[in-house]
Amino acid sequence: MAGRSRRYSDELQNFNSTPCSLDNDKPWTSTLDTDHMPERADDVYESEASETRPLNETRTENDTETAHKVPTTKSASKKPLQAKGMTYEVVLTSLGEFGRYQQRVFIMVGWATVAVSLQMFLSIFTLAVPKHRCAIPHMANDTWQIQSDLHALLVNVSIPPGDLDTYSSCLIYADASRHHGNWSHLGSGYDLKSPNETSLWPGSEDVGGGDNNYSLLNKENGTTSCDRYVYDTSLYTSSMTTELNLVCERNLYRSHAQMMLMMGCLLGSQLSGLVSDVWGRKIALMTSLVSNVLVVLAMAFVQSYVLLLMLMFLTGVTLLGIFSVSFVLSLELVGPSKRLWPGIGYAVFFALGMMLLSLVAYFLRDWQHLQLVCAALTVPHLFFWWFIPESPRWLLSKGRADDAKVILNRMARVNKVTLTLDVLDKLEVKTDMPLWKICISTRKLVGRHLIIFFSWMVASMTYYGLSLNAGTLGGSVYVNVVLMGLMDIAALVVCLLLLDRAGRRVLGAVWYLVAGVACTATLFPVLFASQDKQWISVMLALIGKFGIAGAFAVIWIFASELFPTVMRNSAMGASSVCGRIGGIIAPYIANMDAGGSGSKAIPLVIFGVPAIVVCVLLLCLPETLKRRLPETVQDAVDMGRKKKKAKRAEV
C-alpha cells in the first residue's frame, strides 16, 4: 500500500514539474499551452492547422488574429490560446479526442454492454412458452410426446382439439377427471408404451366396447381449465415458464416479470446517476457489476414466483447501473467532436450481445444453465477496478484536481502527447439547471421537449417489444434473434453514413416511418396470406426492427443537441425515464394474445401506429446539423427561429 502511494506521489510530482513523453528519442508530439485557451469547447471546431511554435518564442502582434486557434496533436500546429475560462473539452481536444487511451477504456466498458444486452433479452428464452396442453388427471408420467396407442387414446378422450390440428393448450373435458380417477395407477409404475388394448384399463366395461363409444365421457358437458400441464421439450428442455407453470390463466405473469425488469431499469437509471455523482463513476460501475453477478446467480435457483419478481427487479437496477455509468464514463473521456463514434459503438455492442445470446441459448436449452453462463460472462468485468480510471471530469467537479492530473498525465503518455504546464487550475466546471426551470424560463421549449420525451418512449417500447416478440413471429426463435441483432448493426452503419448528411430531423423521421409502416403492414399477411407465406410477417417485423434501431440511435443524438447545456444532463435523464416507461409497457404488448387469426399482428400494429405519429411530430422540431450546441435557454429558443433571425454558427 505504501509503495502504491509513493508511486502515485511520484506520478503527480512528475506531472507538475517535468514534461513526459512516451518515447524519449523523439521530440515532443504536442504541447498544451494554457496561456491562450479558448473560452468554450465550441472553439475547438474552428481550429485549423498552422506551423509549430516553440514554447519560448515571443508572440508578435500578427499573432493576435489567430489567438483563438486550438493546438492539435502530433506534428500539427500550436497556436496561442486564451487561458481564461478554459473548458475540460479543450484539454481533451489537445490530448487526443479519441486516442489510444480512450479507445482502450471504450472497448473494456463496451464488453460490459454485451453482458447487459445478454441479460436484457434473456427472458426471450428463460420465459419462453413451449407448446403445451393439460396433463391427463392422476397420471404422473404423462408427456407431450405420444408414447403409444393407449397414450394417444387417453389424450384424445381428455383434451379437446385446438387450432391447426393440435390439442387445446389450456382446456380439458369436464368429465375427464372423474373417469380418469379410476386409472390413477397408470401414473405409478404403469408403462404407457406397452399396452394397446383398452380392455386392460380398470373400468373398461364402463367405457364401452370396441367401437370406441365412450358413453360415460360426455363431451357435451363442456370443458374446464386445469392446473397441471405437460410441455413440448423439443425446443426448450426447460424454462422458468415450465417450472412455475406461467401459462394459460397465468400467462400474464410472464409480462409482470418482464415489467419488473424494466421497472428496475427505471430505478437503476436514476439511482446509478445519484451514486456516480456522489461517489464517482468507478465506484458506481463496480458496485453495479458485483451486485449483478450475485443477483443473476441467485435467479438460476429461483423456485418461487414472488422471488422471481424481486430478482428481475434487482437485475434491472444493476443492468442500468452498468450501462448508464459505463456510457457516461466513456463519453467523459472523449472529445466533443468524436462522441458520435462511441455513442454508436455502444449500440453495436448491444446488438452483438443479442446475437451472442442467441448462440449461447441454442446450445444451452436448459434455462438454469443459460442463467449461470450469463452470470459467468459478467465475472471478468470485476477486474475492471484495476484497469478503468475514474472520470477526470467528475474529479474536477469534486475539487480533486491532483487525482485528475494523474489520469490526464497517463492519457497523455498513452496517446503520445506531452503536457508541459498546469492546466487544471484554470478549468471551469459548469453546473446544470434543473429541468423544471424550463417552464419558468420559457414555454416555447416545453412542447419541443414533450415531443422528444414521447419519441423516446415510442422508440424504447417498439425496440424492446419487437425483440421480446421474436419467439412468436414464426420460424426459429434463434434465427430471429440473430437477424434482429443484424438489423441493429445495419441500421447503425446507415446512421454513421447519413447522420451528418441528411440531418437529424429528416433521418429520424424516416426511421420512425420505416418502423411504423413495416410493423403495421404485418396485419395483412397474417390475415390474408396462407400459412406458407407467413415468412412475410417475419420479414416485415425485421424491417420494423431495422427502422426503430436507427430511430433510437438518431433520437439519442438529436435530443442531446436540442437540449441546452445548462439543462442537458437533467433533460437526458428525463428522456431516459420516458424510455423506461416505454420498456415497461412493451412486455404486455409483446405477450398480447387477443385470439383469432390476427392475434399475432396486433402487437406489431400497436408498435407501428405510434411510430408513424412520431414521424410527423419530429418534422416540427428544428434541425441541429451543423449548428453550435445551445449553451443557454435562449440559444435553444433561437435554434427554432428562421435562419435570418437565428444565432447560427455553421461548423
Side-chain angles (χ1 to χ4, degrees):
M1 193 69 180
R4 184 175 180 182
S5 300
R6 285 194 300 271
R7 183 178 61 183
Y8 175 85
S9 301
D10 292 341
E11 288 185 2
L12 183 57
Q13 184 177 3
N14 179 53
F15 178 85
N16 288 325
S17 58
T18 59
C20 60
S21 178
L22 194 63
D23 191 346
N24 294 328
D25 297 331
K26 295 182 180 180
W28 292 349
T29 54
S30 179
T31 300
L32 188 59
D33 187 350
T34 61
D35 292 333
H36 311 288
M37 283 291 182
E39 278 190 32
R40 300 184 303 175
D42 295 326
D43 295 335
V44 171
Y45 301 118
E46 301 174 2
S47 62
E48 297 176 357
S50 59
E51 297 180 358
T52 303
R53 181 187 304 279
L55 280 178
N56 57 359
E57 181 178 282
T58 305
R59 294 184 59 206
T60 64
E61 294 181 358
N62 294 332
D63 296 329
T64 305
E65 62 180 5
T66 59
H68 67 283
K69 306 296 183 181
V70 175
T72 55
T73 58
K74 300 189 181 297
S75 59
S77 62
K78 325 279 186 306
K79 285 294 183 180
L81 303 169
Q82 262 185 343
K84 185 177 181 180
M86 184 179 62
T87 61
Y88 174 73
E89 282 78 7
V90 174
V91 178
L92 286 179
T93 302
S94 300
L95 290 175
E97 294 190 79
F98 194 43
R100 186 177 300 175
Y101 185 89
Q102 293 99 316
Q103 292 171 13
R104 290 177 181 177
V105 175
F106 167 69
I107 291 174
M108 284 189 287
V109 297
W111 280 110
T113 305
V114 172
V116 171
S117 179
L118 279 169
Q119 296 178 35
M120 285 291 290
F121 299 113
L122 188 59
S123 62
I124 296 176
F125 302 101
T126 58
L127 287 174
V129 182
K131 295 179 181 179
H132 59 279
R133 61 166 173 82
C134 289
I136 299 175
H138 309 294
M139 185 176 293
N141 61 344
D142 188 16
T143 60
W144 170 266
Q145 290 75 19
I146 299 299
Q147 301 180 33
S148 65
D149 293 341
L150 170 60
H151 189 202
L153 192 56
L154 283 171
V155 173
N156 288 333
V157 300
S158 304
I159 311 298
D163 297 332
L164 301 176
D165 299 326
T166 61
Y167 298 110
S168 173
S169 299
C170 304
L171 299 176
I172 190 171
Y173 286 118
D175 278 358
S177 180
R178 179 168 64 88
H179 287 281
H180 287 319
N182 296 325
W183 309 329
S184 59
H185 72 288
L186 293 180
S188 55
Y190 196 83
D191 188 3
L192 285 174
K193 297 180 180 179
S194 58
N196 294 311
E197 298 294 335
T198 58
S199 60
L200 296 178
W201 303 352
S204 60
E205 64 278 2
D206 296 330
V207 176
D211 58 353
N212 294 331
N213 180 22
Y214 305 108
S215 58
L216 295 182
L217 190 59
N218 188 357
K219 297 181 180 180
E220 294 182 358
N221 287 339
T223 59
T224 185
S225 60
C226 57
D227 57 3
R228 197 166 65 90
Y229 306 88
V230 292
Y231 299 92
D232 181 9
T233 58
S234 61
L235 189 59
Y236 308 103
T237 304
S238 66
S239 68
M240 290 183 184
T241 301
T242 61
E243 290 285 333
L244 302 175
N245 286 328
L246 305 180
V247 294
C248 298
E249 295 178 352
R250 292 164 58 91
N251 185 57
L252 199 59
Y253 286 21
R254 294 187 304 112
S255 298
H256 295 336
Q258 292 169 329
M259 179 271 292
M260 291 299 291
L261 177 70
M262 294 299 174
M263 286 287 289
C265 291
L266 175 60
L267 177 62
S269 64
Q270 305 305 307
L271 185 61
S272 62
L274 177 63
V275 173
S276 64
D277 285 342
V278 176
W279 289 288
R281 299 356 181 182
K282 188 173 180 179
I283 292 291
L285 177 60
M286 297 310 303
T287 301
S288 298
L289 284 169
V290 173
S291 302
N292 179 259
V293 172
L294 297 177
V295 171
V296 177
L297 279 175
M299 193 178 294
F301 306 98
V302 66
Q303 297 293 326
S304 165
Y305 179 72
V306 175
L307 182 59
L308 170 64
L309 294 181
M310 295 173 57
L311 293 177
M312 290 288 280
F313 178 80
L314 293 176
T315 300
V317 173
T318 59
L319 287 181
L320 254 291
I322 297 171
F323 180 80
S324 61
V325 176
S326 60
F327 184 81
V328 169
L329 175 61
S330 179
L331 287 190
E332 288 184 341
L333 293 172
V334 178
S337 68
K338 300 296 184 181
R339 286 174 184 162
L340 175 64
W341 290 93
I344 296 294
Y346 268 94
V348 172
F349 277 117
F350 203 75
L352 290 175
M354 185 186 301
M355 298 168 66
L356 179 61
L357 170 64
S358 181
L359 179 64
V360 175
Y362 180 81
F363 292 101
L364 297 175
R365 303 298 179 95
D366 181 87
W367 72 274
Q368 288 181 311
H369 296 161
L370 183 60
Q371 194 79 35
L372 290 172
V373 168
C374 287
L377 290 175
T378 310
V379 171
H381 300 142
L382 300 181
F383 295 95
F384 280 1
W385 180 263
W386 290 276
F387 301 100
I388 298 295
E390 182 54 85
S391 167
R393 182 190 292 271
W394 179 82
L395 291 171
L396 290 171
S397 69
K398 297 299 180 181
R400 296 169 57 182
D402 289 343
D403 294 336
K405 287 179 182 180
V406 175
I407 296 173
L408 292 176
N409 188 34
R410 291 173 183 170
M411 187 187 303
R413 285 191 293 182
V414 175
N415 291 349
K416 298 184 179 181
V417 175
T418 301
L419 297 179
T420 59
L421 298 174
D422 188 358
V423 301
L424 301 178
D425 294 338
K426 301 172 184 178
L427 284 174
E428 289 183 349
V429 181
K430 296 181 178 180
T431 58
D432 285 348
M433 178 190 298
L435 181 62
W436 59 268
K437 286 190 176 181
I438 63 173
C439 299
I440 300 176
S441 302
T442 176
R443 294 184 179 181
K444 293 182 179 180
L445 297 183
V446 175
R448 186 183 301 176
H449 292 178
L450 289 178
I451 292 175
I452 291 295
F453 296 157
F454 180 66
S455 303
W456 205 294
M457 185 185 73
V458 172
S460 179
M461 177 185 71
T462 307
Y463 183 88
Y464 290 110
L466 287 175
S467 301
L468 296 175
N469 201 41
T472 62
L473 293 176
S476 171
V477 61
Y478 304 101
V479 174
N480 290 346
V481 173
V482 170
L483 290 176
M484 286 191 170
L486 289 174
M487 291 297 101
D488 280 17
I489 295 176
L492 295 170
V493 171
V494 174
C495 283
L496 284 175
L497 295 176
L498 298 181
L499 197 60
D500 289 336
R501 299 179 182 180
R504 281 68 161 139
R505 180 182 62 177
V506 174
L507 185 59
V510 170
W511 280 128
Y512 276 103
L513 182 63
V514 169
V517 171
C519 290
T520 306
T522 55
L523 184 63
F524 298 102
V526 169
L527 287 178
F528 304 113
S530 58
Q531 188 64 28
D532 59 342
K533 301 292 185 181
Q534 292 304 308
W535 61 268
I536 299 176
S537 62
V538 178
M539 181 189 66
L540 289 173
L542 292 174
I543 295 175
K545 186 62 160 53
F546 173 74
I548 206 63
F552 219 149
V554 172
I555 199 64
W556 186 284
I557 298 170
F558 193 21
S560 65
E561 293 177 343
L562 277 174
F563 297 132
T565 300
V566 293
M567 61 179 65
R568 184 170 292 123
N569 283 345
S570 57
M572 292 296 287
S575 299
S576 179
V577 169
C578 293
R580 301 286 77 79
I581 293 174
I584 291 171
I585 300 172
Y588 293 96
I589 301 175
N591 296 328
M592 184 180 294
D593 185 6
S597 58
S599 60
K600 288 185 178 180
I602 289 178
L604 295 172
V605 172
I606 296 176
F607 294 140
V609 173
I612 297 175
V613 174
V614 172
C615 167
V616 177
L617 293 176
L618 285 183
L619 297 177
C620 301
L621 299 177
E623 180 57 68
T624 61
L625 178 62
K626 295 184 179 180
R627 290 190 176 184
R628 178 175 294 170
L629 292 180
E631 296 285 343
T632 65
V633 172
Q634 187 59 46
D635 290 342
V637 173
D638 290 340
M639 186 177 285
R641 295 177 179 175
K642 294 182 180 180
K643 182 177 180 180
K644 63 180 181 180
K645 294 183 179 181
K647 296 178 180 178
R648 179 174 178 175
E650 292 195 359
V651 179

